[in-house]
Structures are given as structure tokens and as C-alpha cells.
Amino acid sequence: ERRRVKKLKEFGFNAIRYSHYPAGKNLLAACDELGMYVLDESFDQWRIPNTKYDYSTCFDAEWKKDLTALAEKDYNHPSVVMYCIGNEISDTGRSYGAALARELYDTLRAVDDTRPVTIATNVYLSLMASLVEQKELEQGGGVGSVEVNELMAEISEFKKTLTPEKMEELVGGSFDAVDIAGYNYGHDLYERARKLRPNRIILSSETNPCKMASNWRTVVENDWCIGDFLWTA
């Protein structure tokens, strides 16, 4: 871990987003020693699964205990500068998403109110989850009764009409529940989002290295965009 952190420092990076689960003690010790900031992350899914046997199967029963343990474990590591309550969480597009994001946020802040909290959101995945939920309600089925691949044509059409207002209606509540709005591959959305939420602090929580120059220019030129994490170092 120390060798890897040292290599990243030499290349010019000053922060690591540990994806998509809590950072290990050896990594944090190396970051403390070498002076590397850490975005300490919790989950890669909430209730909606990515794979059949992933954390979603026990999320409701375990998340509060696990999130509390994360903050208690890492509270005394000076390298940890921020927490993340989830990566590309499709649930943010569902009706319960914003309220659940607030619950996770409040749980972290109850343990550690010294560090800001973000969420790494892929707006288009949230869009898919929103349309699936609408179709489930229309058909009278429960969660999981409609597959995303059944709606690809509708999703493609909806994306063409996705205005900033619609995006805010979709994921704005989850962003408002945290301190910093993390956008995965959403660089083209920043200016439009800022017009609707001028006080929002934005983090490029995951971006493509081929766009490194333009993404970093946004960070340098705008105090509301605090950094850019490349997938992957």
C-alpha cells in the first residue's frame, strides 16, 4: 500500500477515492504517513442489487451498524478528509432515495461531524431506476418486477428530453441530503446544475482520464468544484 501511494504522489495526485468500500488500515496508515488525502467510501449498492448476492441482500439490516463502524474506525486518521455514502446508487432515482440518503448522512455525522459527506451519483443510472419504479407502479408489480433491459427504448427517448429541472427532480433531493454533490461522468451537467443550485459544492467523483485536462480546468477555474477523481489510477 505504501508503494502504491508513493507512486501516485510521485505522479502528482494528492487524493485517493477508495472504491467502493471502506479503506483498509494499511492503506490509511500509508496515506497518513505520506500525506495523501482519502475519500472514505461505504457502499456500492443500497437496496437495488448490482449482482445476485451482493450487499443489497442485507443492506436494510446492516447499513447503520456498518456505517457507524466505518466512522469509528477511521475517525483518528488525518488522511481521511471526506466520507461517501455510496457509489452510483440507483436508489437515488426512486421515491425513497432522498430520505434514505439523509438517514445515512445523519448516521455518519452523529459519529463524526468534523468531515463533509458526499455521494457519487451517476445521474443516468438513477434515471433508469426512476423509470423502472414508474413502470412497476403502472403494472402493479413489486420491486424487481420490471427489468431495466425491458425499458431501454424508453430510457433512450427520455434522455433526449432530460432538462436540468428534470435532473434536479430526479436526484436533487439526494444531493441536498449531503454536503458535497458527487457526479460520476457528469461534467457536462455542472453548469446547468449550478444555475438551479448556485450554492451547491460539486466533486467530480469519477471521470474518464481522456478528459483529464478539461475536467481539471473546471476545478482550477471554479471554487465550487473541489476536485476530480480519475477512474482509475
Side-chain angles (χ1 to χ4, degrees), residues 3 13 21 23 25 79-80 96 108 140 144 154 202 207 223 231:
R3 180 190 66 82
F13 293 109
Y21 47 88
K25 62 182 181 180
S79 56
V80 174
Y96 61 81
L108 269 177
E154 292 181 41
I202 289 175
T207 63
D223 58 5
W231 183 266

Side-chain angles (χ1 to χ4, degrees), residues 5 7 23 37 41 50 58 60 69 124 127 141 144 157 162 168 170 179 200 232-233:
V5 173
K7 284 288 186 184
Y37 297 136
E41 194 153 283
N50 290 333
C58 59
D60 281 316
Y124 298 112
L127 160 66
E157 286 302 311
L162 194 57
E168 280 305 311
L170 188 66
D179 303 302
R200 177 172 292 169
T232 171

Side-chain angles (χ1 to χ4, degrees), residues 48 89-94 121-135 148 151-152 154-163 166-167 169-171:
I48 298 176
I89 303 296
S90 300
D91 307 64
T92 54
R94 286 186 169 248
T121 299
N122 186 314
V123 173
Y124 298 112
L125 292 181
S126 301
L127 160 66
M128 292 181 189
S130 175
L131 293 179
V132 167
E133 185 178 46
Q134 291 175 30
K135 192 63 67 172
V148 170
L151 303 175
M152 293 311 296
E154 292 181 41
I155 290 169
S156 296
E157 286 302 311
F158 189 82
K159 282 175 70 173
K160 296 175 184 177
T161 63
L162 194 57
T163 64
K166 285 182 180 178
M167 283 189 289
E169 185 178 331
L170 188 66
V171 298

Side-chain angles (χ1 to χ4, degrees), residues 29 66 83 90:
D66 290 343
Y83 297 117
S90 300

Side-chain angles (χ1 to χ4, degrees), residues 13 23 32 56 81 109-110 114 118 125 132 135 138 141 158 172 181 202:
F13 293 109
D32 289 345
S56 65
V81 295
R109 297 287 287 186
T114 68
T118 188
L125 292 181
V132 167
K135 192 63 67 172
E138 290 171 10
F158 189 82
I202 289 175

Side-chain angles (χ1 to χ4, degrees), residues 13-27:
F13 293 109
N14 70 344
I16 292 174
R17 176 185 171 209
Y18 210 65
S19 54
H20 300 292
Y21 47 88
K25 62 182 181 180
N26 293 335
L27 181 280

